[in-house]
Amino acid sequence: MHILLIGSGGREHALAWKLAQSPSCTRLSAAPGNPGIAHHATLVALDIADAGAVIDWCRTQGVALVVVGPEAPLCDGLGDRLRAAGIPVFGPDAAAARLEGSKAFTKALCARANIPTAAWVRCSDATDGLAALDRFGLPVVIKADGLAAGKGVVIAESREQAEAAVRDATDGGHPIVIEEFMSGEEASLFALSDGRNVVAFGSAQDHKRVGDGDIGPNTGGMGAYSPARVLTPDLEAQAMAEIVEPTVAALAAAGTPYVGVLYAGLMLTHEGPKLVEYNCRFGDPECQVLMPRFAGDFGALALAVANGRLKDFGPVSFSEETALTVVVAAKGYPGTPLRGGTIDLADAESNGAIIFHAGTAERAGKLVSNGGRVLTVTATGTNVAEAQSRAYAAVDKIVFEDGFCRRDIGWREVARENEQSEEQG
Ligand code: AMP
Ligand code: GLY
């Protein structure tokens, strides 16, 4: 089968790397791709915002499945257009992608389906928002209602901060969501849905802050590991039964079935898992730790999802090993990153780590940086400490003057592993 992969980041490189190993995938193309993806796929210069052009290309090239990596084309209806043209697609229609595109949509669905999540209120302007603050304690969470790319969230510790955040977020007439603060540890749960049937597809934890010790501004993620051991099998089953399955059922009942990967951001509170947010795609860099652990033909699985035949696929299984990925970003990220810095990877792949390209380009035959997050370096091991030391061993062999990374990805788990071995020792 000829598969077309849409996207150009580290997540898509991990998907391309996995799809290229799929026995069912005989030809892999990627639009627009990146220099790392080019090792596994033929790059196609398609405008992915132009659904008509994508459909025409799929028809002339005999594409049997389109796998969409990022959320933007899904929220814009690329999935709808492809499905209407009879082309199987891994990724939801725009109506179901509102789970990521609109916090208010997700909160309303949670209320309808009795899904545990933080109390919330949607406010259309500053006056509404300031009045609504009276109904919440502190800290309180203020979010933009829309695609926020992980940056539109303020956790206000004081009333003054909360008021400033409300004024800031509503400035220019933007609606906001105010939420009760949930305390606990966060974990991400992934699930595949073919519209009706749903199966868990691994867990991960990421590091959103730019600096060591989880300080500094929020980013798209500076590193991740899988599985998230805090999400025990019991908690995962509870989250599937109380959160993910009712969501898929509610969307099916509404006539907007969810097809693709559903990424549930969970807060593990003392009352059990609660939903923080949904994304309608794989996480980046979470995908870079899920794909190396998935033991199976991802192309065949993605097709089963796209065709509503998940039940025929059989159980999905993952390696028992831990995978950990370290993001190498360009200096300046998450502000304005330096672009064009040269990168030499010649020595870095030798210890078995996988180097996924996130924001790279080729200029005059040389690899250069071309984005905020530039590379994600994944290694596996019998535990987090081993995966971590292998990943950093590879990172340290990368020559990239303009780059930086966090040195403590996985710290929470490494500390827990140390505690456990002290108890046992
Ligand atoms: P979001 O953009 O909704 O994913 O939020 C980004 C981050 O803000 C989450 O990963 C949490 O760390 C934090 N956050 C969002 N909502 C809440 C909440 N209700 N309680 C506590 N933390 C939250
Ligand atoms: N790493 C967070 C995300 O992909 O949204």
Side-chain angles (χ1 to χ4, degrees):
M1 131 173 93
H2 180 190
I3 301 177
L4 172 64
L5 172 66
I6 302 285
S8 62
R11 165 181 51 212
E12 288 76 27
H13 188 176
L15 289 168
W17 173 84
K18 194 70 187 178
L19 288 169
Q21 299 169 51
S22 294
S24 62
C25 178
T26 50
R27 182 177 166 200
L28 183 62
S29 302
N34 71 33
I37 294 172
H39 292 304
H40 315 288
T42 308
L43 303 194
V44 194
L46 271 173
D47 176 5
I48 62 170
D50 182 350
V54 175
I55 290 167
D56 286 347
W57 194 84
C58 288
R59 285 195 170 133
T60 58
Q61 301 297 317
V63 169
L65 172 68
V66 178
V67 175
V68 184
E71 63 277 17
L74 294 168
C75 294
D76 287 347
L78 181 61
D80 308 57
R81 294 286 303 278
L82 286 162
R83 256 185 285 275
I87 300 163
V89 49
F90 179 90
D93 281 352
R98 279 182 295 172
L99 281 183
E100 172 160 3
S102 167
K103 303 270 181 210
F105 173 82
T106 301
K107 287 295 193 179
L109 183 144
C110 287
R112 260 190 353 259
N114 205 16
I115 291 168
T117 187
W120 72 292
V121 60
R122 184 174 190 267
C123 304
S124 52
D125 58 33
T127 316
D128 263 18
L130 293 173
L133 286 177
D134 291 339
R135 288 188 254 160
F136 294 87
L138 289 170
V140 62
V141 182
I142 292 127
K143 303 179 178 185
D145 184 33
L147 277 185
K151 286 172 197 145
V153 178
V154 173
I155 296 172
E157 305 282 344
S158 68
R159 178 73 185 216
E160 295 70 50
Q161 254 186 319
E163 289 179 3
V166 165
R167 287 201 188 89
D168 219 37
T170 49
D171 192 30
H174 301 291
I176 58 166
V177 170
I178 302 179
E179 273 187 30
E180 164 202 2
F181 177 78
M182 298 182 285
S183 75
E185 189 165 334
E186 281 183 79
S188 303
L189 173 62
F190 296 84
L192 301 180
S193 164
D194 68 1
R196 304 204 169 267
N197 307 297
V198 55
V199 59
F201 194 69
S203 64
Q205 284 183 295
D206 77 341
H207 295 263
K208 287 204 168 68
R209 303 300 189 104
V210 74
D212 283 13
D214 294 327
I215 54 159
N218 261 323
T219 70
M222 294 300 290
Y225 47 91
S226 173
R229 306 241 178 241
V230 282
L231 190 68
T232 59
D234 283 352
L235 287 175
E236 179 179 305
Q238 190 181 352
M240 286 299 292
E242 294 179 3
I243 299 174
V244 175
E245 286 163 13
T247 299
V248 168
L251 288 172
T256 56
Y258 192 94
V259 176
V261 59
L262 186 55
Y263 161 176
L266 304 176
M267 189 68 79
L268 306 180
T269 75
H270 63 268
E271 296 165 326
K274 293 189 181 184
L275 182 70
V276 178
E277 57 150 4
Y278 272 131
N279 296 304
C280 64
R281 46 153 179 98
F282 280 113
D284 186 342
E286 289 86 342
C287 192
Q288 292 92 307
V289 287
L290 289 176
M291 287 300 141
R293 291 188 55 240
F294 173 61
D297 182 333
F298 187 68
L301 178 55
L303 184 68
V305 166
N307 285 340
R309 306 182 61 124
L310 202 44
K311 278 208 162 127
D312 299 343
F313 186 83
V316 301
S317 68
F318 285 84
S319 143
E320 284 301 312
E321 288 214 313
T322 294
L324 181 141
T325 199
V326 177
V327 169
V328 180
K331 284 176 189 161
Y333 179 75
T336 308
L338 287 176
R339 280 176 200 261
T342 54
I343 303 163
D344 184 349
L345 301 176
D347 294 332
E349 268 163 333
S350 50
N351 64 349
I354 318 165
I355 301 185
F356 294 118
H357 292 224
T360 66
E362 236 151 37
R363 301 267 150 75
K366 284 214 156 57
L367 194 65
V368 298
S369 67
N370 188 38
R373 292 186 293 175
V374 177
L375 302 163
T376 54
V377 180
T378 301
T380 56
T382 53
N383 59 16
V384 179
E386 188 175 83
Q388 184 195 53
S389 78
R390 287 179 179 163
Y392 281 113
V395 165
D396 290 338
K397 289 184 186 155
I398 294 172
V399 183
F400 175 33
E401 294 285 323
D402 290 347
F404 75 96
C405 66
R406 278 183 59 164
R407 298 299 311 187
D408 64 345
I409 299 303
W411 66 266
R412 217 187 272 274
E413 276 301 316
V414 173
R416 276 197 278 257
E417 284 173 358
N418 288 341
E419 259 171 46
Q420 266 176 7
S421 63
E422 269 165 35
E423 277 165 22
Q424 282 158 9

